[in-house]
Amino acid sequence: MLQSPIILLANRIEPVILGLPFFIFWNFLWWAILTLVMYIAYKLNWGNQKTE
Amino acid sequence: MKKLVSGVVIILLFMIIPLIVGVLAATKSDNTSDDYFIQGRNMGSITTFFTVSATWWSAFAFLGSNASLYSEGPVYLTAIGWNILFGILYFVVGKRVWYLGKKFNYVTPSDLLGDFYDSEKIRVVVGIVVVVFTIPYLQIQLTGGAYLIEIASGGYIPFWLAALMFYIVILIYVWVGGIRAIAWTDIIYGAILLFGLLFAGLYLSNVVGGPIAMFEQMQAQYPEHMVLPGPDGNAGYGMWISLCFITAIGALMGPQMWLRMYSVKNGTIFNLMPFLISIIAICYAGSLLVSWTGVLVMPGVENPDQILPLLLMEYAPFIIAALILAAGASAAMSTANSQIHAVSTVMTKDFYQRYKNPNASHEKLMRIGRYYLVVFSAIAYVLALFAPGLLVTVGLIAFGGTAQLIVPTLGALFWKRSTSIGALTGIISGLFVMMILQFTPLPLPFGLSSSMYGLFVNVILFVVVSLLTKPRPVSVSNRFELALKEFNQEEHKGLNDKKNIA
């Protein structure tokens, strides 16, 4: 969501969400989601550890 | 005058604290070279987190982020992605490197790669690559850090003196305390740096009425600055993705990070690292606020690397400005100290011990390590004085160089069929392609950076040449395969134990 070309679809100012331009909002939204995912992954001990 | 005095007091405090911490750390040392170079593989979790993140967040992040966001639009926000990528790589690659290091007693990147590929050439090439490409990166830390100290003291401490103080302080505590002193001071630096950046952003955006007002004014006045490819149209998706990969991979493969994989005491910290590193990415919000406020109130600054200090001196009370600038100097110092230490470790272990004096005693190795410490600090000092460069540009070249090592490293960890000739061909041609593209005006298709092309060539040649050449001797590959199998088994075992308890 942050590094694939999908990011180009988010590359816009409107709509402004919570006072943030859309591109900024998108980046920090995914920051929050991915950080949460990393936390869950840690809690679950990274599944069976074969992350590749 | 009062202002100057308080500025200088802050700087002095900032210099003295790490000295005390360094000396304290030295008292815990057991005087072996393993302790000096990798803390006897006994580094705790909190220390690991702070020393990794403080080393990772350099002047490149503190000044470079603001410069880029100020002049190129939002492309630097890709930093969120590279923090997460770095965290995951540190877990996937770092944990395996840590395990192999413990098992086969490795200290440097060349130890692992040279041993795996069973090749002296690999050992030498890897040693040279990490040393050569760490020096420019070290130089930008010194330039950035000394510059901040100069401004924080109100010009009272000139650049040359600031850089010199910087060096002497680092030299003393690394000299006495080795990696433990660095790691301990990194806890202080790390905390100051992360809060400093976020605080600076919130504080400065109040100049234009807070973050939301700032975005509104930006949208009214500079809408093209708020989306890729930025105001000049140069910083688009190609750069977005290049920056992300090269920075994360290049930093991970720097010798200072290798040492921080080997030093770790307990493997579980690797599991938590992706989460911790991701959290701190929020601090880039600080850079965003600083630099876009700068676009509004201070457009057209000649050297964008200076935007943060300039804004602070103009809009913040002197004490706050000096504290935040000290935070910036922390960013630089915490990276520089680790780099000087890492480069001297590589020189001592990979070149001196390996080729000149294999039977050197611990005392001798530490003495040689310290001798290289002085030499490399001196080189970096001279470079900082005479070769100032744009922080992000120089940084990208340095990262691009070390990033090439990811290919043979992943090969060593995950691909049995990789061979030494494949690895050598890959690294050398990757570097060659990167240099050619960087320093000649050849066009770069898709806006990707020269180091990305280097990496592509590296991967392709590594795979093709490996498949064409003879497999590695069975004895060596079996030893590694066995070790990695044990690694996987232990990981599963840990998991099963946990399940049983639950």
Side-chain angles (χ1 to χ4, degrees), chain A residues 1-8 10-14 16 18-21 23-24 27-28 30-32 34-52, chain B residues 74 77-78 80-81 84 88 91-92 95-96 212 215 219 223 226-229 237 240-241 244-245 268 271-272 274-275 278-279 281-282 284-285 288 292 414 488 491-492 494-495 498:
Chain A
M1 286 300 146
L2 289 173
Q3 292 303 325
S4 73
I6 295 172
I7 191 86
L8 292 176
N11 189 19
R12 49 203 282 174
I13 299 175
E14 297 287 352
V16 174
L18 302 172
L20 300 175
F23 187 62
I24 309 298
N27 274 286
F28 283 100
W30 281 102
W31 164 77
L34 288 171
T35 304
L36 196 66
V37 168
M38 294 299 147
Y39 181 69
I40 295 168
Y42 166 67
K43 276 289 171 197
L44 297 178
N45 211 17
W46 292 88
N48 64 1
Q49 283 296 340
K50 282 188 177 159
T51 39
E52 299 75 40
Chain B
L77 283 182
T78 192
I80 295 173
I84 296 169
I88 294 173
F91 165 66
V92 173
K95 194 166 185 185
R96 286 171 172 79
I212 289 172
F215 286 125
Q219 191 178 354
M226 302 176 76
V227 286
L228 302 172
Y237 179 63
W240 176 270
I241 196 163
C244 174
F245 282 95
T268 46
N271 301 3
L272 185 56
F275 169 61
S278 305
I279 291 189
I282 191 66
Y284 287 116
L288 181 68
W292 286 7
F414 301 110
N488 282 329
E491 296 278 291
H492 285 294
L495 192 73
K498 225 178 184 176

Side-chain angles (χ1 to χ4, degrees), chain B residues 109-157:
Chain B
S110 298
D111 280 345
L112 190 152
L113 294 172
D115 192 24
F116 176 84
Y117 292 103
D118 194 25
S119 154
E120 289 303 311
K121 278 187 203 133
I122 295 262
R123 214 175 259 277
V124 174
V125 168
V126 170
I128 293 173
V129 168
V130 295
V131 170
V132 167
F133 286 96
T134 303
I135 290 174
Y137 189 42
L138 176 58
Q139 174 224 330
I140 61 176
Q141 308 302 328
L142 301 171
T143 312
Y147 179 69
L148 286 171
I149 291 178
E150 184 186 16
I151 296 191
S153 71
Y156 199 67
I157 303 176

Side-chain angles (χ1 to χ4, degrees), chain B residues 223-253:
Chain B
E224 77 288 351
H225 208 102
M226 302 176 76
V227 286
L228 302 172
D232 304 329
N234 294 329
Y237 179 63
M239 189 164 170
W240 176 270
I241 196 163
S242 307
L243 265 176
C244 174
F245 282 95
I246 295 302
T247 313
I249 296 173
L252 184 82
M253 287 288 112

